[in-house]
Each structure stands twice: as structure tokens, then as C-alpha cells.
């Protein structure tokens, strides 16, 4: 295929990507050799926690051409997911509600992006047949293979990597999904963003509830609430439970505080619209779901992948961090005897935490009464 043909194809690919609902696409090569030492240092430090798959493939994550031999270019795409009326603060402020990371309120993004990427690959294949009777090799990925998608997206000009390790875009913030199409065509490259634009800002580092951003651009997954509530399949360490608040699936704090997200666009994609039973849901209602109800309500949702037991574990922690009402205590006690061991451990923690809170409230009330009776200033 001639150089003019490749240039025209790259132009057409960007038009097709826009028609398919992608908000941006960039083209880069497969060279991530600069990322290999950083990846190895992160793994050596154990920051991947129990995510063994992060280490299983060695440096393949930094070598996309090993995933699909013959790959010459990576088409990196992004698609905004911020829903209308996201309700960040309103949900986080109310300890009786469950907070679910905004990316997980709608349909599973893996399915949405992968389907669109496949359509893009089909269009490219058809054009190649028209031009030279050859199809070339291509393969789509959406957070589903050992590939460093954020460094690739940065090389493709989609943004820069922020101090929270997420990709940031000057006009769209960070509330978007990424996907890749590996392809065996020498398409012209797009230029990366000249430099990262976080400057001296450390808001994301300071806001993290569990101190998971241990250094600029370095996240210790073992401390991250997203890891603890999603990837972690065992007990949540006690030191982190009070810090989780009402976050039951993921966490958005480092994105919420980021100044660049003032420019984040709301997504018109219907698949990313919040499901009513997951948007600002009362914790007690979620706690009362049976396993069959959980599977029904999370069908087609990324939440389903954690399974019912981890879901219950997360809910028990959130209930323990909320008000010590009779209804909450009764609901936890009712479930304790028949709960799986891991869930039972978190129920016991929640009940003990709520009991301490009741005692503290009782002491404050008694002190307040004494102050009123004696006519003393209220310092309670």
C-alpha cells in the first residue's frame, strides 16, 4: 500500500471512529521500552497485590507486537463515560447510600468498546481489500489482555499520565474508557502530548482516603479502594475498612478532585446511563438482595464479576461505617450465622464498630445532659 493510500486510510479511520462513537483516536507504534523498567519496579515493590495476572506475562505488557505478531501500529481510542446527574457528592455525603464508581453504573464497557472496535477493524479490512486485495492482521483489546494501555494512549496523543496514574486529557479530564486495535499496517503516527500538565498539583495524592498514591505516578494497588473492593478476593485489611466510607465498588476520589475534570464531558452513550437500582442506592436495600437478585440486577454490568460474596463483604463494611440504627444492626445480625466465613468476618467487624459508635453517642448524650443540668457551657 502506497504512502498516500496509508495517509488517506488514517484519515478515514479517524472519521469512522467518530461515527462509531469514539471521542478520540490516535495512532502510535509498539515501542514501550521506556516503560519496562517502571513496570518491573512496580511489580518488584509488590504494588500489584494479589493481581497475579499483572506479573504473569512478564514484559509482554510493554511489547504489544508479542500479542499479535506482525503488529506495526496501535490504534488507541477513548470514549467518555461520565453520566448525566452523576451525583458524586450527594452520594458520598450520605452514609446510608452505597457509592459505586461512576464507570460501573451502566453496561459493561468491555462489551461496548470491543464491539465498536471490531466494527472499526471490519471497516479497515474492507478498505484494504478494495485497495490491494490484502486484509492485514488486526485484533481489538479492551482491558482484556496484557497491554499497557495508558502509555500507549499517551504516545498516541490522547493525553498524558497524571500523578494518579490515570490518563488525563486537556479537554476531557479522565472520565473515559480506553481501548486498542492492534494492526499490521504502517500507518502514519500521531504526535504525543508535548508534556504532562499536572505541574505542582498534588490534589489527587492528598485526597486519596487510604494513601494509595505512594509517590507521583505510583499507585500501591494494595491500598487502593478500587483494588480492595474489586480485585481483592479476600478479607479487606481492617486498617482500611473505616477509610472506605460508603464506597462499595471502586472509588473516584482522585478523579473528583482533579482540576482537569472541570472540563469532563457528559457522555450521550445510552449504555453508560446509570441503572436506577445502582444509582444512589440505599445500602440496606442492596444488603437484602439474594444472590439471584444480585445476578439479575447486575446482568450485563461490570459489577457482576466480583460475585455475590465480595459484594456482601463490601456492603458489610459500608454498613459498619454508617449510622448505628436498629434496622442496620438487625439486618447484619440476621445474616451473620449463615454467612460465608469471609462475609461473616466483615459482619462481625461492622457490628462491633456500630456498637462502639452507640457507646460513644451514649457518652456524649450523658455529658450533654449533665452540662444542661448544671448550667455549664456545652462542650460535648
Amino acid at each position: 500500500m502506497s504512502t498516500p493510500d496509508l495517509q488517506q486510510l488514517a484519515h478515514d479511520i479517524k472519521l469512522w471512529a467518530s461515527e462509531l462513537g469514539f471521542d478520540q483516536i490516535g495512532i502510535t507504534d509498539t515501542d514501550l521500552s521506556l516503560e519496562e523498567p517502571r513496570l518491573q519496579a512496580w511489580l518488584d515493590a509488590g504494588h500489584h497485590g494479589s493481581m497475579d495476572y499483572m506479573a504473569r506475562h512478564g514484559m509482554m505488557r510493554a511489547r504489544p507486537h508479542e500479542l499479535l505478531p506482525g503488529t506495526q501500529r496501535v490504534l488507541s481510542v477513548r470514549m467518555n463515560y461520565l453520566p448525566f446527574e452523576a451525583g458524586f457528592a450527594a452520594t458520598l455525603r450520605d452514609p446510608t447510600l452505597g457509592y459505586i464508581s461512576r464507570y460501573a453504573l451502566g453496561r459493561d464497557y468491555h462489551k461496548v468498546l470491543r464491539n465498536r472496535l471490531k466494527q472499526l477493524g471490519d471497516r479497515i479490512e474492507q478498505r484494504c481489500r478494495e485497495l490491494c486485495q490484502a486484509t492485514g492482521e488486526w485484533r481489538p483489546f479492551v482491558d482484556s489482555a496484557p497491554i499497557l494501555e495508558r502509555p500507549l494512549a499517551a504516545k498516541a496523543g490522547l493525553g498524558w499520565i497524571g500523578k494518579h496514574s490515570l490518563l488525563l486529557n486537556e479537554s476531557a479530564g479522565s472520565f473515559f474508557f480506553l481501548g486498542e486495535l492492534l494492526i499490521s499496517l504502517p500507518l502514519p503516527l500521531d504526535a504525543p502530548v508535548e508534556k504532562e500538565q499536572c505541574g505542582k498539583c498534588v490534589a489527587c495524592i492528598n485526597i486519596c482516603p487510604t494513601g494509595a498514591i505512594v509517590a507521583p505516578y505510583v499507585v500501591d494497588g494494595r491500598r487502593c479502594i478500587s483494588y480492595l473492593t474489586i480485585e481483592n478476593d479476600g478479607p479487606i485489611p481492617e486498617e482500611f475498612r473505616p477509610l472506605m466510607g460508603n464506597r462499595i465498588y471502586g472509588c473516584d476520589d482522585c478523579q473528583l478532585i482533579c482540576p482537569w475534570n472541570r472540563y469532563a464531558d457528559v457522555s450521550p452513550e445510552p449504555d453508560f446511563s446509570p441503572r436506577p437500582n445502582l444509582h444512589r442506592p440505599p445500602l440496606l436495600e442492596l444488603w437484602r438482595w439474594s444472590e439471584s437478585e444480585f445476578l439479575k440486577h447486575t446482568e450485563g454490568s461490570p459489577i457482576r464479576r466480583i460475585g455475590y460474596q465480595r459484594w456482601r463483604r463490601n456492603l458489610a463494611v459500608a454498613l459498619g461505617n454508617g449510622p448505628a440504627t436498629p434496622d442496620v444492626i438487625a439486618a447484619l445480625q440476621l445474616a451473620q450465622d449463615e454467612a460465608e466465613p469471609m462475609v461473616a468476618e466483615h459482619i462481625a467487624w461492622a457490628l462491633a464498630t456500630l456498637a462502639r459508635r452507640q457507646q460513644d453517642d451514649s457518652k456524649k448524650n450523658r455529658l450533654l445532659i449533665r452540662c444542661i443540668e448544671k448550667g455549664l457551657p456545652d462542650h460535648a
Side-chain angles (χ1 to χ4, degrees):
M1 195 178 296
S2 67
T3 298
D5 284 341
L6 289 168
Q7 290 174 338
Q8 182 61 46
L9 179 57
H11 177 267
D12 292 341
I13 286 172
K14 292 176 181 180
L15 290 178
W16 297 334
S18 178
E19 291 171 0
L20 288 167
F22 294 114
D23 293 287
Q24 191 177 1
I25 183 171
I27 304 171
T28 186
D29 58 32
T30 64
D31 181 14
L32 290 178
S33 55
L34 293 177
E35 296 299 321
E36 293 192 17
R38 298 170 190 162
L39 174 59
Q40 192 60 58
W42 188 77
L43 293 170
D44 290 343
H47 291 329
H48 58 302
S50 63
M51 295 183 289
D52 296 335
Y53 60 86
M54 293 296 298
R56 191 176 302 137
H57 298 282
M59 288 298 110
M60 181 183 281
R61 289 186 176 277
R63 301 166 188 172
H65 52 278
E66 293 185 7
L67 285 172
L68 181 66
T71 297
Q72 297 190 58
R73 296 291 183 263
V74 178
L75 308 184
S76 181
V77 300
R78 68 172 182 84
M79 184 180 286
N80 298 334
Y81 67 77
L82 188 63
F84 290 97
E85 299 181 359
F88 293 110
T91 309
L92 285 169
R93 276 198 302 259
D94 189 339
T96 68
L97 303 179
Y99 184 87
I100 294 170
S101 185
R102 304 295 90 169
Y103 84 85
L105 291 178
R107 186 169 179 237
D108 191 339
Y109 68 95
H110 298 87
K111 299 175 182 178
V112 177
L113 267 71
R114 184 178 176 82
N115 180 53
R116 307 286 177 89
L117 283 169
K118 187 177 183 303
Q119 292 181 56
L120 181 60
D122 288 338
R123 291 194 187 187
I124 295 170
E125 183 174 332
Q126 181 179 349
R127 178 58 56 85
C128 289
R129 288 183 188 277
E130 295 170 357
L131 290 172
C132 59
Q133 290 76 51
T135 61
E137 296 289 330
W138 57 271
R139 187 176 170 189
F141 294 99
V142 183
D143 196 20
S144 57
I147 188 169
L148 295 178
E149 60 179 10
R150 281 169 280 186
L152 282 170
K155 282 196 69 176
L158 270 60
W160 71 94
I161 295 177
K163 292 175 183 175
H164 48 18
S165 83
L166 302 175
L167 193 77
L168 282 166
N169 181 281
E170 188 173 7
S171 62
S174 62
F175 288 109
F176 49 76
F177 299 121
L178 294 174
E180 300 79 39
L181 191 70
L182 273 56
I183 195 165
S184 60
L185 294 172
L187 296 166
L189 302 174
D190 288 312
V193 175
E194 290 187 4
K195 63 177 182 177
E196 63 92 2
Q197 299 181 56
C198 292
K200 296 180 180 180
C201 179
V202 290
C204 59
I205 297 175
N206 293 335
I207 198 67
C208 180
T210 55
I213 308 174
V214 294
Y217 317 105
V218 181
V219 174
D220 185 345
R222 297 166 298 184
R223 305 183 65 89
C224 177
I225 291 176
S226 287
Y227 166 83
L228 293 169
T229 56
I230 301 173
E231 302 296 340
N232 170 40
D233 59 3
I236 295 170
E238 280 199 41
E239 63 180 300
F240 300 130
R241 294 177 195 176
L243 306 176
M244 289 168 53
N246 62 343
R247 299 168 184 83
I248 58 173
Y249 188 93
C251 178
D252 291 320
D253 286 30
C254 63
Q255 297 192 83
L256 290 175
I257 199 67
C258 179
W260 289 104
N261 272 321
R262 289 177 296 186
Y263 309 110
D265 291 323
V266 171
S267 173
E269 176 57 53
D271 281 328
F272 300 149
S273 296
R275 299 182 178 191
N277 56 9
L278 296 176
H279 189 41
R280 305 192 71 229
L283 287 168
L284 265 182
E285 285 188 17
L286 301 180
W287 180 253
R288 292 179 178 128
W289 284 359
S290 65
E291 185 167 9
S292 61
E293 287 173 320
F294 166 78
L295 293 173
K296 176 184 176 182
H297 292 314
T298 60
E299 185 175 1
S301 161
I303 296 173
R304 182 184 271 204
R305 67 181 286 256
I306 70 172
Y308 186 60
Q309 298 307 319
R310 276 189 268 181
W311 174 251
R312 298 279 281 176
R313 174 200 63 187
N314 299 346
L315 287 171
V317 172
L319 287 168
N321 287 328
T325 65
D327 285 348
V328 168
I329 293 171
L332 289 167
Q333 290 173 335
L334 183 64
Q336 191 169 24
D337 289 343
E338 296 183 2
E340 295 287 332
M342 180 180 67
V343 178
E345 173 193 337
H346 291 76
I347 291 175
W349 175 86
L351 287 170
T353 302
L354 293 172
R356 286 194 297 271
R357 189 169 302 128
Q358 282 182 317
Q359 290 176 348
D360 291 342
D361 290 344
S362 178
K363 289 178 182 178
K364 289 179 181 178
N365 287 336
R366 289 198 299 270
L367 179 58
L368 176 60
I369 291 171
R370 287 200 299 269
C371 288
I372 293 173
E373 289 174 343
K374 293 181 181 180
L376 298 175
D378 173 15
H379 299 296

